[in-house]
Amino acid sequence: MSILMRAPRECASWFWDLEDYAPPGLRSALVAAARMAEVLRKHDLLEPRSLEWSWFIPGLGGAPASTRLHLLGAIDDEQVFQRVQGMRPVGYHEAVPGDILVVGNGVWLDGEGVPRREYQLVELSVSPEELGLSAEVAVHHDVWGPFDFRGEPHPEVYRQNAPRLAAALRELEAVLGVEAEPGQPTNFGRAVGYGVDEPVVVDGRGPDFVDQL
């Protein structure tokens, strides 16, 4: 069982406009996801296990279906492309995949530096939208900031994990050739640079989010 609390909205996210990186479409999205996942895997932040997506009908909106595909090999393998195409919901022949979410475990380090695995520690999603390819990395846990969700400072947890995330984001920029843009702020935080913005501190404590989790 996880010992981390997870926020229902992201604590920080980073967005890449990949219009100049590759053409839109499912095949390009899978290639971009594979390259980005390899960087996150290198930093032990995401070990891809499956892909998840919803279906959309061009010009009409969402189809009442979502799909999960267990990965048997590389994300950008031709068989993955064919399997995604073949999982189109019955009766929706024009449906196309929406954002592709790469799902798996990641490793965070506790205050003593002990590695611990966490499901969906880091989220990676890539959009095959015909208007232009894009990608996003998001985090929902408190290990990336100087305070936990109760508002208690945890400097050692922060020191063990925040630099790992920052290094991965910098490497993603280098691989993609595109600078990351900060995502939209939420009640739980926002991205600043390559990390999570530090909250307002009152009497040595950060905000208490427990009742919102």
Side-chain angles (χ1 to χ4, degrees):
M1 179 178 292
S2 170
I3 65 171
L4 288 184
M5 292 184 288
R6 178 183 173 86
R9 296 287 308 280
E10 59 269 26
C11 301
S13 62
W14 294 264
F15 175 85
W16 285 265
D17 183 343
L18 301 178
E19 184 175 350
D20 295 330
Y21 174 76
L26 176 60
R27 198 182 301 274
S28 291
L30 293 175
V31 170
R35 295 196 68 186
M36 295 179 74
E38 186 57 36
V39 172
L40 296 171
R41 187 206 304 261
K42 173 182 173 182
H43 292 272
D44 291 328
L45 297 176
L46 175 62
E47 181 68 31
R49 288 288 180 247
S50 61
L51 305 178
E52 297 180 0
W53 67 93
S54 296
W55 294 91
F56 292 86
I57 303 172
L60 295 178
S66 59
T67 305
R68 168 178 283 198
L69 172 64
H70 181 67
L71 290 169
L72 302 177
I75 295 173
D76 56 349
D77 189 285
E78 178 64 21
Q79 290 188 356
V80 173
F81 174 78
Q82 297 296 337
R83 290 173 69 195
V84 171
Q85 295 282 62
M87 299 174 82
R88 183 176 287 106
V90 175
Y92 296 91
H93 304 297
E94 297 181 358
V96 296
D99 293 358
I100 306 293
L101 176 65
V102 182
V103 179
N105 293 324
V107 173
W108 64 282
L109 306 176
D110 67 16
E112 286 71 47
V114 177
R116 300 183 180 276
R117 301 184 69 79
E118 182 73 18
Y119 180 65
Q120 286 189 287
L121 181 71
V122 171
E123 287 189 351
L124 166 64
S125 60
V126 179
S127 173
E129 170 63 48
E130 287 299 325
L131 295 177
L133 195 69
S134 63
E136 183 180 69
V137 166
V139 293
H140 290 249
H141 298 91
D142 59 12
V143 299
W144 317 109
F147 299 89
D148 66 21
F149 284 144
R150 298 181 179 86
E152 297 287 349
H154 58 183
E156 288 305 310
V157 171
Y158 178 52
R159 184 181 65 80
Q160 296 277 6
N161 294 285
R164 301 170 55 232
L165 177 62
L169 292 170
R170 288 189 176 94
E171 188 169 341
L172 284 171
E173 286 187 337
V175 167
L176 298 172
V178 180
E179 288 190 8
E181 303 174 20
Q184 292 294 320
T186 72
N187 290 342
F188 301 96
R190 62 172 184 153
V192 172
Y194 300 104
V196 179
D197 191 21
E198 294 195 15
V200 175
V201 178
V202 178
D203 295 331
R205 291 176 55 89
D208 187 341
F209 293 117
V210 171
D211 62 349
Q212 300 182 51
L213 301 180

